[in-house]
Amino acid sequence: MSQPYQPPHPGAWQPQGPYMPAPPKTSTRGARVLTLIGVLALVVAVVVGVVGITMLRDAVTDPLRPSAGSVVIARGPSDQALTLDAEAGRTYSLVSLDATSAAGVGATAEVTGPDGEPVRVLPVDESTHLSVDGYTVSRFASFTTTTAGTYTIDVVSSVTRDWDVAVADPGGVDDLARDLVVGVVLVVAGVIGAGIGLVLSIAGWIWWAVRRSNQRRVAAVQAGAYGYPPQRY
């Protein structure tokens, strides 16, 4: 004798319908944002790199030749007396320009003023060296003028190799060192930023392409469900 149908108790297991996969995500907003960030990073990196290259180019374009805009005011062989037409009340740096060694020359200098009297020369630590235009540049002394006129500079060094001595504006030497360091940092930052921007742009473009493919697939499924032929893109 058949039993009347009994509904399942609440909470009892019931068979489920067929599994339906979740619809694919089709929003392209995140992909567009990522692509835009990558393109902007790439543009900024290129600008930063160009600025750094320009600074390096300006810093190494004849910075050691006595001329307008150069850090070097006077220059000559270290084994010969160097004359300088100096202004009154200015401080000048003496630097060595060595094309054959990256070490300091261990030099001292004697400076004679326009009146024939010696000028006080202060030694400067030579531990900082700049590599510029094929020369190792080291500041080894400085002096301050009292009156305007022609000053004579005689260098004393135990180094027998040929090297040049130059008179430079201390501010110009500091600016040259700063421009070299900043230029290198900007170029490195530009290269790294360009790489990051390129990766983000490619990732955003791939993400965008996947989402657009999902949109076409959903549109085709919906069109087929309503009896319309799938659209072509």
Side-chain angles (χ1 to χ4, degrees):
M1 181 176 180
S2 63
Q3 299 293 328
Y5 171 75
Q6 298 290 332
H9 299 288
W13 177 87
Q14 302 181 38
Q16 304 294 323
Y19 171 75
M20 297 295 292
K25 296 181 179 180
T26 58
S27 174
T28 59
R29 177 179 300 176
R32 286 180 292 176
V33 171
L34 183 61
T35 304
L36 179 60
I37 292 175
V39 172
L40 290 177
L42 188 59
V43 171
V44 172
V46 170
V47 173
V48 170
V50 170
V51 172
I53 292 174
T54 302
M55 292 185 66
L56 289 177
R57 183 198 62 192
D58 294 342
V60 300
T61 302
D62 290 337
L64 306 180
R65 188 187 306 275
S67 61
S70 172
V71 299
V72 170
I73 302 172
R75 174 179 173 177
S78 61
D79 57 354
Q80 299 179 15
L82 180 65
T83 58
L84 170 68
D85 293 329
E87 301 176 5
R90 285 194 59 184
T91 298
Y92 296 90
S93 289
L94 297 178
V95 298
S96 62
L97 309 177
D98 195 344
T100 59
S101 175
V105 295
T108 59
E110 298 177 354
V111 179
T112 305
D115 55 1
E117 295 296 324
V119 178
R120 183 184 180 188
V121 178
L122 300 177
V124 177
D125 182 16
E126 287 187 86
S127 60
T128 301
H129 308 297
L130 299 177
S131 181
V132 181
D133 201 21
Y135 289 90
T136 298
V137 182
S138 304
R139 183 163 44 186
F140 65 89
S142 67
F143 66 95
T144 301
T145 60
T146 54
T147 59
T150 301
Y151 287 72
T152 303
I153 303 164
D154 293 291
V155 176
V156 179
S157 175
S158 59
V159 175
T160 58
R161 63 178 181 271
D162 293 335
W163 58 277
D164 287 355
V165 61
V167 181
D169 183 357
V173 175
D174 294 337
D175 290 344
L176 177 62
R178 180 202 60 201
D179 291 346
L180 289 173
V181 173
V182 173
V184 171
V185 170
L186 290 180
V187 170
V188 173
V191 172
I192 295 176
I196 294 175
L198 185 61
V199 170
L200 292 178
S201 300
I202 294 175
W205 181 83
I206 294 175
W207 188 6
W208 197 341
V210 171
R211 290 298 174 86
R212 288 294 294 164
S213 176
N214 291 342
Q215 288 178 346
R216 295 187 182 96
R217 194 186 324 163
V218 170
V221 171
Q222 291 175 347
Y226 286 100
Y228 298 105
Q231 299 179 7
R232 297 183 178 273
Y233 292 89

